[in-house]
């Protein structure tokens, strides 16, 4: 059940070992954030940088709480690129791939 994308032990520890709550929070994250990369990319295309940065920042905080540190790291990298007004294509691609892999890891955890 281990994954390089999701440290479920860390996520559970943040919730005092309440596995039912952790599973619910994973499900909520999966539902709310499954289209996050599309939403961020859309905001960036519309030059709504602050909206894009806010979406990424919110996801990053949730990812940390759930033990998805690699996703949080990719989100931080994207957030900093947006804030700096830098080119975001490469970091957006990494963020999108990391989100997809993390969602798969979450679904796998929830199926056990």
């Amino acid at each position: 059940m281990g994954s390089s994308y999701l440290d479920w032990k860390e996520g559970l520890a943040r919730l005092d070992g309440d596995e039912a709550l952790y599973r619910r929070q994973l499900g909520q994250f999966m539902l709310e954030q499954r289209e996050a990369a599309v939403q961020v990319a859309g905001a960036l295309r519309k030059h709504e940088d602050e909206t894009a940065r806010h979406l990424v920042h919110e996801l990053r905080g949730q990812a940390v709480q759930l033990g998805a540190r690699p996703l949080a790291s990719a989100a931080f990298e994207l957030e900093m690129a947006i804030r700096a007004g830098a080119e975001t294509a490469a970091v957006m691609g990494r963020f999108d791939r990391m989100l997809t892999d993390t969602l798969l890891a979450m679904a796998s955890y929830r199926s056990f």
Side-chain angles (χ1 to χ4, degrees), residues 21-56:
L21 177 58
Y22 184 62
R23 286 179 183 274
R24 280 194 308 274
Q25 287 189 354
L26 287 177
Q28 184 175 353
F29 181 90
M30 292 167 63
L31 182 65
E32 292 175 359
Q33 299 295 352
R34 67 179 178 223
E35 298 295 326
V38 172
Q39 293 170 343
V40 171
L44 289 172
R45 271 193 306 280
K46 294 176 190 173
H47 303 287
E48 296 173 355
D49 292 1
E50 188 55 30
T51 297
R53 192 198 63 75
H54 176 74
L55 290 168
V56 174

Side-chain angles (χ1 to χ4, degrees), residues 99-110:
L99 177 59
T100 298
D101 291 342
T102 301
L103 290 172
L104 289 171
M106 289 177 172
S108 177
Y109 178 86
R110 290 188 79 224

Side-chain angles (χ1 to χ4, degrees), residues 58-75:
E58 184 176 293
L59 180 143
R60 179 170 59 102
Q62 293 172 355
V64 167
Q65 292 300 313
L66 294 171
R69 290 207 176 264
L71 175 58
S73 176

